[in-house]
């Protein structure tokens, strides 16, 4: 397949940095790469290229999707944990970036601090892909939007309700929805809502696309009439010591069959995984007919391939 050069050499750090047309290009490319794979076609778009994958946070879907994705695109992925590289022993991000940029064709980083990703991208003159930070999770949301497109046929005017912590996934859903004209409501308890600066940035994008963005504390209000119901773990990675307190705060925010009755009859359920079954979501919902959670997980592979193919 022909791959556009429009995004070649670009960093992929936040959906806020891309136009709706550029995001649509990612989605179309991911869908095409998925169709190709189902037909047994693996175009060697990244033949001879190498992606370095820095993992400060552990992962299942992100690591497998990037590593398998590079293989399917004809390239090679190199796993780099803090135990494997000197960044874990005090080498500066600047020096790490300057060295890796001379040996690799792209860097994917999954870490805690968003500033680390920004600094890495500043010094590296090769594409840097944000595989997750405490602030944003844009690669996840490209896969999410692919899944919504597959099941709903559009993003424009789709009503998405996110029930849970105002975390990195919620932030990236706000950016993605605002860019693509998808209405996003985030329901979180007091004190656990999204970053106000992120919300204001997304609201500026929404004024262009016509998306409606809303924050509330009532999960029922958020889910009523929703086309898509989305949830995530209540305590993100690195917040384990807060898990007990968050469980108390979020008890009324479980996505269960009673809550799903408020959504549209044909609503779909998303969860970025891993799921704490019986906490933020019940078995009945995640394994039920409205769940497309495992389609969503599969689409991470094709979304990541699209991002790499277009930027590297």
């Amino acid at each position: 397949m022909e791959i556009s050069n429009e995004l070649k050499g670009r960093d992929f750090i936040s959906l806020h940095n891309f136009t709706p047309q550029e995001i649509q290009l990612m989605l179309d490319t991911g869908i095409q790469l998925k169709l190709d794979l189902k037909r047994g076609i693996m175009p060697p778009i990244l033949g001879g290229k190498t992606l370095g994958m820095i993992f400060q946070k552990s992962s299942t879907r992100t690591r497998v999707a990037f590593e398998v994705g590079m293989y399917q695109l004809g390239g090679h992925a190199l796993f780099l944990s803090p135990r494997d590289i000197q960044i874990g022993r005090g080498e500066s991000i600047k020096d790490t970036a300057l060295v890796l940029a001379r040996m690799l064709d792209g860097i994917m980083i999954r870490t805690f601090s968003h500033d680390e990703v920004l600094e890495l991208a500043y010094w590296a003159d090769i594409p840097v892909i944000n595989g997750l930070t405490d602030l944003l999770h844009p690669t996840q949301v490209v896969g999410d939007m692919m899944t919504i497109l597959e099941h709903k046929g559009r993003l424009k005017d789709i009503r998405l309700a996110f029930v849970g912590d105002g975390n990195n996934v919620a932030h990236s859903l706000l950016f993605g929805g605002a860019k693509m004209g998808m209405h996003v409501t985030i329901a979180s308890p007091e004190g656990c809502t999204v970053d106000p600066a992120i919300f204001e940035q997304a609201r500026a994008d929404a004024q262009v696309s016509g998306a409606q963005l809303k924050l509330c504390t009532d999960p029922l209000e958020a889910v009523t009439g929703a086309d898509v119901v989305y949830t995530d773990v209540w305590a993100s990675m690195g917040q384990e010591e807060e898990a007990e307190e968050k469980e108390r705060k979020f008890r009324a925010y479980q996505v269960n069959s009673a809550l799903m009755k408020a959504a549209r009859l044909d609503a779909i359920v998303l969860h970025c995984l891993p799921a704490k079954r019986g906490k933020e979501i019940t078995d009945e919902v995640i394994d039920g007919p409205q769940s497309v959670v495992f389609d969503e997980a599969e689409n991470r592979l094709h979304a990541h391939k699209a991002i790499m193919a277009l930027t590297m």
Side-chain angles (χ1 to χ4, degrees), residues 168-220:
N168 48 11
V169 173
H171 290 157
S172 287
L173 284 169
L174 283 169
F175 280 151
K179 289 285 185 178
M180 304 308 287
M182 185 167 60
H183 310 310
V184 179
T185 301
I186 311 282
S188 308
E190 295 285 354
C192 297
T193 193
V194 299
D195 183 319
I198 295 283
F199 189 73
E200 286 310 309
Q201 286 180 317
R203 243 196 344 198
D205 291 335
Q207 286 175 353
V208 177
S209 70
Q212 298 165 11
L213 307 182
K214 186 178 179 182
L215 305 179
C216 68
T217 57
D218 182 0
L220 187 62

Side-chain angles (χ1 to χ4, degrees), residues 12 53 57 69 72 79 138 190 310:
F12 182 83
M53 307 188 302
K57 280 189 172 187
Q72 291 181 357
F79 176 76
E190 295 285 354
L310 289 165

Side-chain angles (χ1 to χ4, degrees), residues 5-192:
N5 288 319
E6 189 179 335
L7 304 180
K8 199 66 70 183
R10 290 270 298 273
D11 295 320
F12 182 83
I13 294 173
S14 169
L15 289 170
H16 183 59
N17 300 336
F18 294 90
T19 66
Q21 294 75 24
E22 289 168 342
I23 294 170
Q24 189 63 52
L25 176 61
M26 296 173 204
L27 297 172
D28 292 343
T29 303
I31 289 166
Q32 185 59 53
L33 287 168
K34 182 176 181 178
L35 286 171
D36 284 349
L37 185 65
K38 301 295 183 190
R39 295 173 183 142
I41 302 166
M42 292 194 293
I45 296 160
L46 297 180
K49 295 196 174 184
T50 304
L51 175 77
M53 307 188 302
I54 300 173
F55 279 90
Q56 307 273 37
K57 280 189 172 187
S58 59
S59 164
T60 299
R61 281 146 293 276
T62 301
R63 177 174 178 183
V64 173
F66 274 108
E67 198 159 330
V68 173
M70 275 301 286
Y71 166 76
Q72 291 181 357
L73 294 172
H76 177 70
L78 189 64
F79 176 76
L80 304 168
S81 79
R83 295 182 299 279
D84 300 320
I85 57 175
Q86 298 301 319
I87 201 170
R89 298 174 59 195
E91 183 172 36
S92 70
I93 291 170
K94 175 182 176 180
D95 289 355
T96 300
L98 291 173
V99 170
L100 291 181
R102 291 180 178 225
M103 300 182 182
L104 301 169
D105 300 287
I107 300 169
M108 190 286 303
I109 180 167
R110 181 179 169 94
T111 189
F112 294 89
S113 166
H114 194 72
D115 287 342
E116 283 186 9
V117 180
L118 295 174
E119 188 178 356
L120 189 71
Y122 180 82
W123 292 109
D125 59 2
I126 57 175
V128 170
I129 298 169
N130 175 8
L132 173 144
T133 67
D134 285 346
L135 187 69
L136 298 174
H137 197 357
T139 56
Q140 171 68 52
V141 171
V142 176
D144 296 340
M145 291 191 293
M146 268 185 65
T147 310
I148 295 167
L149 267 177
E150 285 179 341
H151 288 272
K152 293 295 177 184
R154 72 186 201 283
L155 296 174
K156 182 76 173 168
D157 293 328
I158 287 290
R159 307 196 76 83
L160 183 146
F162 180 89
V163 180
D165 195 20
N167 61 12
N168 48 11
V169 173
H171 290 157
S172 287
L173 284 169
L174 283 169
F175 280 151
K179 289 285 185 178
M180 304 308 287
M182 185 167 60
H183 310 310
V184 179
T185 301
I186 311 282
S188 308
E190 295 285 354
C192 297

Side-chain angles (χ1 to χ4, degrees), residues 140-141 143-149 151 160-163 169 173 182 227-232 255 260 267-273 280-281 285-286 290-297 299:
Q140 171 68 52
V141 171
D144 296 340
M145 291 191 293
M146 268 185 65
T147 310
I148 295 167
L149 267 177
H151 288 272
L160 183 146
F162 180 89
V163 180
V169 173
L173 284 169
M182 185 167 60
D227 300 292
V228 182
V229 179
Y230 199 131
T231 190
D232 190 7
V255 174
M260 286 303 300
I268 58 172
V269 174
L270 298 178
H271 191 308
C272 56
L273 299 177
E280 75 274 4
I281 193 166
V285 173
I286 198 171
Q290 291 174 281
S291 172
V292 296
V293 167
F294 298 101
D295 291 349
E296 175 191 13
N299 281 339

